[in-house]
Amino acid sequence: MTQIALEPISSIKELQRRIRSLATQKNAIILSHYYQRPEIQDIADFVGDSLALARQAQKTKADIIILAGVYFMAETAKLLNPDKKVFIPDVNAGCSLVESCPPIPFKQFIEQYDNRFVMTYINSSIEIKAMSDIICTSSNALKLVQMVPPDKTLIFAPDRHLGEFLQRVTGREMVIWPGQCIVHEEFSADQIKELKKKYPDAKVIVHPECGSSLLEIADFVGSTGQLLKFVQQDSAKRYIVGTEEGIVHQMRKHAPDKEFIVVPPVIGCVACQQCPYMKLNTLEKIYNILLNEPAENEIIIPEDLAERARIPVERMLEWTDK
Ligand code: 13P
Ligand code: SF4
């Protein structure tokens, strides 16, 4: 495809208008995660958590999917749509959880256990998915853990905080891989306690990727989609939000009369309530994908790997619906 140079467009509104018009022209769908920049969320066809994004990708009739999120989300969309073109606006939009679980040590780790059942968080590489029995997200993990045959040694990877949370709530013994998210790891229970002193009426809502000291003091723990639903249905007027700040854009839209306080960064940590990977995507990069369909941004997965990784992803969707 002949590459078209991007002319500078100074107005966000004009850029958004051009993206929407090109997306319609090319029958492209833009799927955005809640942690994307607000101006991206605003032009997306769909904004959701990782499970909802996978479901949208599964049912779309579009020819092109642009996944405004991180790499593993685009890979999941491609797994579910092998015949469609799937693009990520910035190929460096990775995830620290994915990096914390490299394939070779993970293979050695799981092979220590006979009669194992490997449940892997969707925040993992395609190679790790291919070694798994089922994938989960933070919205269906509690349900899926309880469906794993009781005689199996349950291995959970790569997020140790989510794994420990599932173990505590369900009582199911697990062998847990020690990975973590660099964003959620930074939130501290002391900061939340300070905020609670200032806003005693506020409810604390956190993502299960946070450490156990936060999860224990939270009024509600859930995936990004579940946190958004909670603030819409709950009666409180103020919330202390322990997750990436992008979600607050939707919270303010859907519950405009409520106040949302994002847990501030610890001293010395600049903007650490922002995911540096999620924030790599920009409107300009999305526009470039639609104009040029750059080969380097297209998700390509070797077929033998895709075949193996697709099985646990499809099993997740099936079991979630049971
Ligand atoms: P959700 O499943 O809640 O969208 O979480 C994905 C994620 O990367 C959180 O850090
Ligand atoms: Fe990965 Fe954490 Fe960013 Fe989510 S917030 S994409 S888990 S690094």
Side-chain angles (χ1 to χ4, degrees):
M1 208 172 146
T2 319
Q3 300 288 291
I4 305 167
L6 273 190
E7 52 181 289
I9 302 166
S10 54
S11 143
I12 287 186
K13 286 246 164 322
E14 175 56 14
L15 195 49
Q16 289 176 319
R17 191 195 62 74
R18 290 195 196 187
I19 290 172
R20 283 308 329 154
S21 145
L22 253 183
T24 309
Q25 219 174 296
K26 293 190 137 181
N27 191 26
I29 188 172
I30 302 171
L31 304 178
S32 166
H33 188 265
Y34 290 124
Y35 295 166
Q36 291 293 285
R37 298 166 187 275
E39 65 272 20
I40 293 180
Q41 296 187 33
D42 289 346
I43 48 104
D45 294 276
F46 179 81
V47 186
D49 66 14
S50 47
L51 179 63
L53 292 174
R55 288 211 183 278
Q56 284 294 319
Q58 189 189 34
K59 69 180 190 203
T60 186
K61 299 258 186 302
D63 297 317
I64 297 175
I65 299 173
I66 300 180
L67 200 309
V70 288
Y71 204 86
F72 73 81
M73 295 175 178
E75 276 180 334
T76 307
K78 180 67 185 178
L79 277 182
L80 296 168
N81 289 282
D83 301 328
K84 290 190 174 141
K85 285 185 170 181
V86 177
F87 291 96
I88 178 120
D90 190 311
V91 284
N92 295 314
C95 169
S96 63
L97 275 168
V98 175
E99 284 165 22
S100 71
C101 192
I104 295 171
F106 186 67
K107 185 167 185 290
Q108 290 162 349
F109 176 74
I110 61 173
E111 282 175 355
Q112 297 173 86
Y113 302 93
D114 296 329
N115 195 29
R116 61 180 175 263
F117 189 96
V118 181
M119 176 178 281
T120 303
Y121 193 32
I122 198 163
N123 298 41
S124 54
S125 68
I126 206 84
E127 289 83 3
I128 299 294
K129 286 188 175 78
M131 288 183 234
S132 307
D133 294 294
I134 196 163
I135 306 304
C136 70
T137 77
S138 48
S139 34
N140 58 18
L142 261 177
K143 173 174 181 171
L144 300 185
V145 162
Q146 295 171 81
M147 294 168 80
V148 175
D151 62 310
K152 295 278 183 186
T153 299
L154 177 51
I155 299 177
F156 187 85
D159 186 11
R160 77 180 168 100
H161 294 311
L162 177 59
E164 284 162 11
F165 170 71
L166 294 169
Q167 194 165 246
R168 243 186 345 269
V169 175
T170 64
R172 174 77 194 240
E173 274 300 308
M174 294 180 194
V175 179
I176 300 173
W177 178 267
Q180 60 209 30
C181 159
I182 50 164
V183 179
H184 291 87
E185 188 71 9
E186 285 299 334
F187 296 123
S188 92
D190 288 344
Q191 290 167 305
I192 293 191
K193 284 177 192 155
E194 279 307 307
L195 284 170
K196 270 296 267 187
K197 275 190 214 152
K198 202 165 161 198
Y199 306 105
D201 60 322
K203 279 194 180 162
V204 177
I205 58 171
V206 305
H207 196 278
E209 287 171 16
C210 292
S212 59
S213 58
L214 266 83
L215 300 181
E216 276 156 18
I217 56 171
D219 295 291
F220 182 72
V221 178
S223 71
T224 48
Q226 289 165 341
L227 296 179
L228 179 60
K229 200 166 167 199
F230 180 78
V231 301
Q232 289 172 261
Q233 294 175 348
D234 182 62
S235 60
K237 287 281 171 216
R238 205 180 252 158
Y239 299 89
I240 296 167
V241 183
T243 191
E244 213 269 2
E245 64 167 19
I247 184 72
V248 170
H249 182 59
Q250 293 299 323
M251 288 178 173
R252 292 194 175 122
K253 272 190 173 180
H254 288 89
D257 54 331
K258 299 191 174 189
E259 189 185 346
F260 303 100
I261 304 146
V262 181
V263 181
V266 287
I267 296 160
C269 178
V270 181
C272 57
Q273 66 288 62
Q274 289 189 356
C275 172
Y277 305 102
M278 287 278 183
K279 289 335 194 221
L280 285 175
N281 297 325
T282 61
L283 283 179
E284 286 79 4
K285 290 174 189 173
I286 293 176
Y287 186 46
N288 184 41
I289 301 287
L290 285 163
L291 266 185
N292 291 314
E293 299 180 26
E296 62 272 25
N297 293 73
E298 185 173 352
I299 308 291
I300 307 285
I301 307 171
E303 196 36 49
D304 60 326
L305 192 57
E307 258 173 41
R308 283 181 286 131
R310 193 175 296 121
I311 296 168
V313 172
E314 287 182 342
R315 185 171 293 138
M316 165 183 82
L317 296 172
E318 259 169 53
W319 283 29
T320 306
D321 289 338
K322 274 188 191 168

